């Protein structure tokens, strides 16, 4: 019997995620499923926690992959830390900052936001000004704004919050595994990521880390965490300790896959992985310049793993993306929100960040754009 699945193309994923998945990770995914309380599986879980701590550069005990995609990580951070009426400041310069705002307001937080033009970074002076004027329980920012390709100043905002009572919540969905994410050194209290960006695992897990201060905040809540599935207190009883308590059935095979992906990253070495992202980003930018295609973001704020370019004048956005997918089997990303129809987004995330992929994209663009 032929199956719909037999028709799946091998597509080069050069958009904003998911990214290309290494064969070793696909092989890990197809291993036999163990029980979620199986002693051997618990050993695999413990490895994953330890490897995540290394990639996130943290000693936080609560460092685990949450079941669900990056947005589940976002939701888990806010739902555990926010109680109705809490003041939250969100720094917004793209789609994912807006999503944080939405998530926090649904929980009854009093959300203030500071907005910056899309395509430009968060300005630390303006954050400092805002913090002098008011006190916030949480200050939240996206490190790598995937909707624009901007790197926000995560270390600098961390320094600003040093010694304050505010918790620092950072979205590292696109940054983790592609550029440095120094959770402890930057004073981040709640960090989340996603499996399908620079970790090059299929979508489905959201690595998360809470500092001691964040955990104390959860313990000191006046009300129960309003979301049963994402309650870190309950999830921790499954991920930690001698006795493991069933909470929900862990996505066992996805955890094998993440185990393999983290092993590959640590074998290559974090520094080498970051350097590979940067080198391929430079190769792409140089090639785009030759084609006369302009970058959206100023050099000092560019993300290596997400390259936004202005769509050349007179070019049909949809037709170009359609031809890349149909004729060249390459997926790229479209613009979102105010940038829809104005930019393309080229991803060089994780396993995608290789010179042969950069060259394939450049030669396809060259052929299409003439
Ligand atoms: C992709 C992404 C998310 C959301 O992740 P999903 O896996 O799509 O739920 C959140 N934040 C950023 C910065 C992202 O790039």
């Amino acid at each position: 019997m032929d199956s719909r699945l037999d028709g799946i193309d091998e597509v080069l994923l050069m958009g904003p995620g998911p990214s290309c998945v290494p064969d070793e990770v696909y092989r890990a995914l197809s291993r036999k499923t163990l029980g979620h309380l199986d002693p051997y599986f618990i050993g695999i879980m413990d490895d994953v926690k330890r490897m995540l701590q290394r990639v996130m550069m943290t000693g936080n005990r609560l460092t685990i992959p949450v079941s669900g995609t990056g947005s589940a990580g976002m939701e888990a951070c806010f739902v555990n830390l926010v109680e109705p009426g809490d003041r939250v400041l969100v720094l917004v310069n793209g789609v994912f900052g807006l999503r944080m705002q939405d998530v926090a307001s649904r929980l009854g937080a009093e959300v203030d936001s500071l907005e910056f033009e899309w395509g430009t970074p968060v300005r630390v002076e303006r954050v400092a000004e805002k913090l002098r004027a008011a006190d916030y329980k949480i200050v939240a920012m996206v490190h790598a704004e995937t909707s624009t390709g901007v790197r926000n100043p995560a270390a600098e905002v961390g320094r600003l919050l040093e010694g304050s009572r505010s918790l620092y919540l950072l979205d590292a969905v696109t940054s983790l595994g592609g550029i440095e994410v120094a959770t402890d050194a930057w004073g981040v209290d709640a960090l989340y990521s996603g499996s399908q960006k620079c970790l090059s695992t299929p979508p489905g897990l959201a690595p998360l880390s809470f500092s001691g201060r964040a955990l104390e905040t959860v313990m000191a809540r006046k009300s129960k965490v309003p979301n049963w599935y994402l309650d870190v207190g309950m999830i921790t009883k499954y991920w930690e300790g001698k006795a493991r308590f069933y909470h929900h059935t862990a996505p066992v095979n996805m955890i094998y896959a993440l185990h393999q992906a983290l092993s590959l990253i640590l074998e290559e070495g974090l520094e080498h992985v970051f350097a590979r992202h940067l080198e391929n980003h430079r190769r792409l930018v140089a090639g785009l310049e030759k084609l006369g295609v302009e970058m959206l973001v100023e050099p000092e704020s560019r993300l290596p793993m997400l390259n936004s370019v202005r769509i050349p004048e007179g070019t049909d956005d949809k037709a170009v993306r359609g031809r890349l997918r149909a004729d060249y089997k390459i997926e790229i990303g479209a613009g979102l929100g105010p940038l829809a129809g104005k930019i393309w987004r080229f991803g060089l995330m994780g396993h995608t960040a290789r010179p042969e992929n950069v060259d394939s994209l450049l030669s396809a663009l060259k052929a299409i754009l003439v």
Side-chain angles (χ1 to χ4, degrees), residues 69-71 74 96 99 142 144 146 171 173-174 196-197:
T69 64
S71 306
M74 183 189 292
F96 295 103
R99 189 173 296 182
V142 175
T146 321
D171 174 314
V173 176
T174 281
Q196 80 276 23
K197 310 263 167 116

Side-chain angles (χ1 to χ4, degrees), residues 208-222:
L208 169 132
S209 187
F210 270 22
S211 70
R213 227 158 57 106
L215 264 181
E216 284 162 23
T217 306
V218 181
M219 298 310 158
R221 288 181 65 99
K222 294 191 277 298

Side-chain angles (χ1 to χ4, degrees), residues 11 46 52 82 87 95 107 130 166 181 190 219 221 252-253 273 278 327 329 341 366:
V11 174
D46 289 343
L52 276 179
V82 167
R87 304 203 57 184
V95 165
L107 296 166
K130 192 84 181 163
S166 308
V181 176
M219 298 310 158
R221 288 181 65 99
V252 170
N253 292 58
V273 170
L278 200 57
D327 302 345
K329 309 262 183 277
K366 189 173 175 186

Side-chain angles (χ1 to χ4, degrees), residues 280-315:
N280 285 287
H281 159 73
R282 289 185 176 138
R283 187 183 186 96
L284 177 63
V285 173
L288 289 168
E289 260 163 26
K290 274 198 201 134
L291 295 177
V293 176
E294 246 183 86
M295 301 294 289
L296 173 76
V297 178
E298 290 302 314
E300 58 279 9
S301 302
R302 284 180 196 158
L303 290 170
M305 73 288 279
L306 196 289
N307 299 267
S308 290
V309 300
R310 296 183 194 278
I311 298 176
E313 199 88 34
T315 308

